Amino acid sequence: MFRNNYDNDSVTFSPQGRIFQVEYAAEAVKQGSVVNPKPAQRRRTLVLPKKLFPIDEHVGIAIAGLTSDARVLSNFMKQQCLGHRLTYGRSMPVRTLVDLIGSKAQINTQHYGKRPYGVGLLIAGVDEHGPHLFEFQPSGMTEEMIAFAIGARSQMARTYLEKHLDKFADCSRDELIRHGLRALKESLVQDRELTIDNTSVGVVGIKEQGEDGAAAKIEPFRVYDGQDVAEWIESVSDERGAEGEGMEVDS
């Protein structure tokens, strides 16, 4: 795409004040497979097709865009979490981790010869302040969300999330996962279905709250795929079948 030589690097602004290299990176995110996390009062759940990376026992990420760039950022996040745990003897706060990768990404938009990371991330984790969900953009911008989806056709998933947002806080763990799968189904093209071969579920959260100031028990981040997600997928598929059986056709 010809941009009158204003897209050769990430530090040149167009006359309209745009940085095309950052826009190209954002477009790579839009072309990636849709990912969507489901939040709850006590848990964060990620549902997506094979795009999950564990970072630490209390945090994981979902990616949309260039997998190679995602691996660079995920390795950086793992090193930061490990260093924090060795230094302070506890897990890194999720907000601190997100700020670190935001700063790292923005540096690439300030120096000649570098390019923005062509990947978007959804970071789900839990710390002493509770569960968190953050969106990371190639520009380095980060924002905390309640529920969100990124990637191709993700707008339909976000529409489902917004419609059912008030239900998530009171959901059980399994029902929360099913909400995630329903949102993911909304983003599929007409002839595609969720299967054990194209869907993974990541879960991290609080198992139970401690009493009298005791620390909460955390459910470590874990990725479920293959036969582990079969029951959840079947339960969501059965819902559609039940809806079809309930339809009546006038003769």
Side-chain angles (χ1 to χ4, degrees):
M1 185 182 301
F2 183 61
R3 296 286 191 177
N4 294 323
N5 297 325
Y6 292 110
D7 64 349
N8 292 331
D9 57 72
S10 61
V11 296
T12 301
F13 286 84
S14 74
Q16 295 79 29
R18 300 165 63 184
I19 302 180
F20 292 118
Q21 283 285 332
V22 175
E23 293 184 11
Y24 296 160
E27 187 62 28
V29 176
K30 294 179 182 178
Q31 299 300 322
S33 300
V34 63
V35 299
N36 75 83
K38 278 285 92 21
Q41 188 175 10
R42 296 163 62 84
R43 183 175 286 105
R44 288 289 188 269
T45 304
L46 299 175
V47 184
L48 69 161
K50 303 294 184 182
K51 291 294 184 76
L52 284 171
F53 291 83
I55 300 300
D56 200 352
E57 65 178 16
H58 71 299
V59 63
I61 63 173
I63 74 166
L66 302 179
T67 304
S68 57
D69 284 0
R71 291 192 180 278
V72 171
L73 291 175
S74 66
N75 288 337
F76 172 78
M77 295 168 72
K78 290 175 182 179
Q79 292 170 1
Q80 296 301 313
C81 286
L82 178 60
H84 190 279
R85 191 177 292 276
L86 290 174
T87 303
Y88 300 103
R90 59 186 179 88
S91 59
M92 175 178 282
V94 181
R95 173 80 260 185
T96 302
L97 179 62
V98 171
D99 287 343
L100 286 173
I101 62 168
S103 298
K104 179 178 177 64
Q106 193 190 27
I107 289 175
N108 283 18
T109 69
Q110 298 174 333
H111 294 276
Y112 183 83
K114 294 182 178 291
R115 66 167 178 82
Y117 292 105
V119 64
L121 306 178
L122 290 175
I123 303 102
V126 61
D127 56 27
E128 59 187 10
H129 300 294
H132 303 278
L133 170 65
F134 290 91
E135 180 203 11
F136 162 88
Q137 299 179 16
S139 64
M141 179 178 175
T142 61
E143 187 173 2
E144 186 162 12
M145 301 291 187
I146 297 177
F148 203 66
I150 60 176
R153 300 172 62 87
S154 60
Q155 180 56 55
M156 286 169 282
R158 290 196 293 270
T159 299
Y160 176 92
L161 300 180
E162 293 171 4
K163 183 178 179 181
H164 298 84
L165 190 63
D166 58 342
K167 301 177 182 178
F168 299 150
D170 299 322
C171 282
S172 65
R173 177 180 182 274
D174 286 346
E175 182 58 27
L176 193 63
I177 292 172
R178 284 192 286 269
H179 272 300
L181 293 172
R182 294 181 193 117
L184 190 58
K185 285 177 64 176
E186 293 294 323
S187 67
L188 297 177
V189 295
Q190 189 172 5
D191 58 342
R192 293 288 301 277
E193 294 290 341
L194 296 180
T195 70
I196 61 175
D197 297 319
N198 66 13
T199 304
S200 297
V201 176
V203 179
V204 61
I206 301 174
K207 283 186 176 180
E208 58 183 83
Q209 193 69 44
E211 297 181 358
D212 299 328
K217 293 184 179 179
I218 294 178
E219 178 179 1
F221 182 83
R222 178 184 172 186
V223 177
Y224 298 84
D225 51 22
Q227 290 299 325
D228 291 335
V229 300
E231 183 177 350
W232 292 320
I233 293 176
E234 290 173 3
S235 66
V236 174
S237 299
D238 291 342
E239 291 173 359
R240 176 172 294 181
E243 291 175 0
E245 292 175 0
M247 295 176 61
E248 295 183 1
V249 179
D250 294 332
S251 58

